[in-house]
Amino acid sequence: MTAGDSIEKPLWASRISPWHWLTIAAAILIAQASILYAMGRLPICACGYVKFWHGVVNSSENSQHIADWYTLSHILHGFLFYGLTWLLLRRASWPSRLIVAMLIEGGWELVENSPWIIERYRAGTISLDYYGDTIVNSVSDNLSMVIGFLLARKLPVALTIALAILFEVLVGLHIRDNLTLNIIMLIHPTEAIRHWQAGPPII
């Protein structure tokens, strides 16, 4: 995928310094956090502390800390957004494509934390203790997407695809959920999948 970075860039893109791109990226994260706060999202876990990792999915602290099993899905978002922007925005520089990806990811984080989607997750999946992300978790999800995007930019296509498959299989077998199942259960909940997800970890 790195071949897309060698395509001639528009003149305006070459005039934007790395510090300007960083400022734009920071502004997106600040706007995301601010809107979430206005929506009533908690800045940190109601438990009163912040952990780097929380690995218990079926708990009230899932999606409340910096990283969890779903962090791998957000890294996978970065893989997908790199590929899509490389295909659809061939003349754009990679920093501008990353900004587009951050806007999409940030927008989804806002939608995901809307009351309708939260109730959809609770009704259609096994996430009965899910009441939305904290702001620290949501912003961390966007940063995880950035990591995935940057990895996809540097890694060979075959390795990126292999990592994506590994993430999906590993997470699917350990927590019985992953990006693919998450999308299926959000769009068209299936009782068979929900029943399977209620089982213990396979690995």
Side-chain angles (χ1 to χ4, degrees), residues 10-94:
L11 183 60
W12 63 267
S14 63
R15 294 175 178 172
I16 301 179
S17 72
W19 286 110
H20 286 139
W21 288 120
L22 286 173
T23 300
I24 295 169
I28 291 172
L29 295 177
I30 292 171
Q32 177 184 335
S34 300
I35 297 172
L36 287 170
Y37 186 76
M39 291 168 59
R41 297 289 94 211
L42 294 175
I44 65 171
C45 177
C47 58
Y49 51 82
V50 176
K51 295 191 293 186
F52 176 76
W53 173 262
H54 182 77
V56 183
V57 174
N58 297 323
S59 74
S60 60
E61 291 186 39
N62 188 55
S63 296
Q64 304 300 293
H65 298 283
I66 293 174
D68 49 51
W69 283 105
Y70 291 102
T71 298
L72 294 178
S73 291
H74 290 280
I75 293 175
L76 185 52
H77 288 179
F79 292 173
L80 295 172
F81 289 157
Y82 183 86
L84 286 173
T85 57
W86 183 80
L87 288 171
L88 301 176
L89 304 171
R90 297 292 296 272
R91 287 181 55 80
S93 64
W94 73 263

Side-chain angles (χ1 to χ4, degrees), residues 27-42 103 106-111 113-114 133-135 138-139:
I28 291 172
L29 295 177
I30 292 171
Q32 177 184 335
S34 300
I35 297 172
L36 287 170
Y37 186 76
M39 291 168 59
R41 297 289 94 211
L42 294 175
L103 288 170
W108 166 246
E109 287 294 323
L110 299 180
V111 172
N113 283 284
S114 65
D133 301 347
T134 60
I135 295 174
S138 182
V139 170

Side-chain angles (χ1 to χ4, degrees), residues 170-190:
L170 173 64
V171 176
L173 292 177
H174 188 72
I175 69 170
R176 292 179 178 256
D177 199 8
N178 54 30
L179 180 60
T180 303
L181 291 174
N182 206 272
I183 293 172
I184 292 173
M185 294 299 284
L186 181 62
I187 296 174
H188 185 68
T190 302

